[in-house]
Amino acid sequence: MAKPNYSFAKRQRDLAKKQKKEDKQRRKSEGASDNPPQDDELQEIPPQTTDDEKPAD
C-alpha cells in the first residue's frame, strides 16, 4: 500500500490559501478604487436604544 505524501498535501493547501488571499486582496483593491464612498454613506448613524435601555421616568 502506498504511503500518503503529507508534504505534497500541505504544499497544495498552502498554495490554495495564498491564491485565495491574493484574490481577496485584488478584489478589495479593485472595489476600493471603483466605488468611492458617497457623502451620505459617511454619515454616522446614532445607536438605537431599546425599551430596556431607556431611563425610567
Side-chain angles (χ1 to χ4, degrees), residues 4-46:
N5 190 347
Y6 294 112
S7 298
F8 179 77
K10 183 178 187 315
R11 176 78 175 141
Q12 293 302 308
R13 282 193 312 272
D14 290 345
L15 288 174
K17 262 196 253 183
K18 183 177 179 182
Q19 183 66 40
K20 187 175 178 181
K21 188 175 182 180
E22 288 173 353
D23 289 344
K24 185 176 180 181
Q25 184 65 34
R26 190 177 309 116
R27 279 186 279 127
K28 200 173 187 182
S29 66
E30 288 174 356
S33 62
D34 291 345
N35 299 327
Q38 301 296 326
D39 289 340
D40 58 341
E41 292 176 2
L42 296 176
Q43 295 176 352
E44 274 191 42
I45 300 172

